[in-house]
Amino acid sequence: MRPEPDFIHEFVPGSSKRTLLLLHGTGGNERDLIPLGHDLDPNASLLSPRGQVLENGMPRFFRRLAEGVFDLEDLKKRTHELGDFLIVATRHYKIDIKNLIAVGYSNGANIAASMLLLRPEILAGAILFRAMVPLIPESRPDLASVRVWIGAGSIDPIVPTSEAKQLSELLRGAGADVTIHFFQGGHELTRDDVDVAREWLSTLK
Ligand code: MLT
């Protein structure tokens, strides 16, 4: 039996208490980030949903009006849908929610950031590769026990460095412990990103 509410997803059981929630970029699917998850933590369980919005046939986690311009009502709705799925999935797969860490790339990083801001009780931490400020929440969430790592590109044409810094300040302002790392490069995920993120992850309990 699969968890309801349902998202098409992969679940790979691991040998530790940690679960990585893998959130793909635009045009990706639930299988894309499985190798990345194993690379970041070979012992963790992996939960990898597929975004339910299609943009010209490409799966995403929420609608956008243009590149970097989000449909905020849809973003809020989709964030809650994903949050509800995660609650059900953690029960279904016996995932320890206190050890649920999101790993998102691009569109997936943006919905992970939105999850931190709108459903702060769900994630214990997040690795955000090339994330933007998804929205400004109406009330400040309590992220006091949450740890976040942001990997930004110094010449990212989609996410200016000022926006990556703004995201880190927004999360810090809510109490999160945020590490931001700038890489020489653009929007693409690099080997350096993965190596530095893995090192950071190994410092979490
Ligand atoms: C987004 O739509 O989330 C961002 O523009 C990144 C992307 O997916 O291209």
Side-chain angles (χ1 to χ4, degrees):
M1 234 174 67
R2 293 174 71 87
E4 294 281 345
D6 207 1
F7 271 65
I8 294 170
H9 66 277
E10 294 271 313
F11 178 71
V12 182
S15 58
S16 76
K17 281 192 300 184
R18 177 177 293 158
T19 299
L20 300 180
L21 167 67
L22 305 174
L23 299 166
H24 62 78
T26 300
N29 65 39
E30 68 282 6
R31 293 182 299 277
D32 277 11
L33 300 189
I34 299 285
L36 172 67
H38 284 308
D39 193 345
L40 287 170
D41 183 348
N43 298 318
S45 299
L46 307 175
L47 176 63
S48 186
R50 184 194 297 183
Q52 291 184 318
V53 168
L54 283 181
E55 182 185 277
N56 302 322
M58 296 186 296
R60 287 176 51 83
F61 285 96
F62 57 89
R63 285 188 60 223
R64 64 179 165 182
L65 308 174
E67 194 167 85
V69 184
F70 302 151
D71 176 336
L72 292 179
E73 286 317 306
D74 189 68
L75 170 57
K76 288 179 200 161
K77 183 180 107 179
R78 303 281 177 185
T79 302
H80 285 293
E81 280 174 4
L82 181 60
D84 294 344
F85 165 73
L86 293 175
I87 297 293
V88 175
T90 52
R91 288 192 198 125
H92 182 85
Y93 291 118
K94 301 193 176 13
I95 289 168
D96 177 6
I97 198 161
K98 290 193 196 68
N99 281 294
L100 181 62
I101 312 282
V103 176
Y105 167 67
S106 191
N107 182 244
N110 293 339
I111 197 151
S114 180
M115 185 74 61
L116 290 168
L117 296 168
L118 297 180
R119 299 287 290 269
E121 72 285 4
I122 293 187
L123 297 171
I127 291 177
L128 306 176
F129 296 113
R130 309 300 185 266
M132 308 173 74
V133 175
L135 50 77
I136 304 291
E138 281 165 26
S139 56
R140 199 172 62 163
D142 177 5
L143 294 172
S145 53
V146 176
R147 295 188 62 188
V148 180
W149 182 92
I150 299 173
S154 58
I155 49 164
D156 187 333
I158 298 173
V159 189
T161 53
S162 57
E163 180 151 1
K165 285 184 195 148
Q166 201 190 334
L167 175 62
S168 70
E169 289 314 315
L170 182 62
L171 296 170
R172 266 188 204 125
D177 176 342
V178 183
T179 301
I180 183 163
H181 199 105
F182 288 93
F183 295 89
Q184 289 296 325
H187 198 66
E188 72 288 350
L189 186 59
T190 67
R191 175 44 46 198
D192 279 357
D193 277 90
V194 179
D195 289 345
V196 178
R198 187 194 308 101
E199 184 61 33
W200 174 85
L201 191 59
S202 72
T203 67
L204 302 194
K205 273 194 293 167

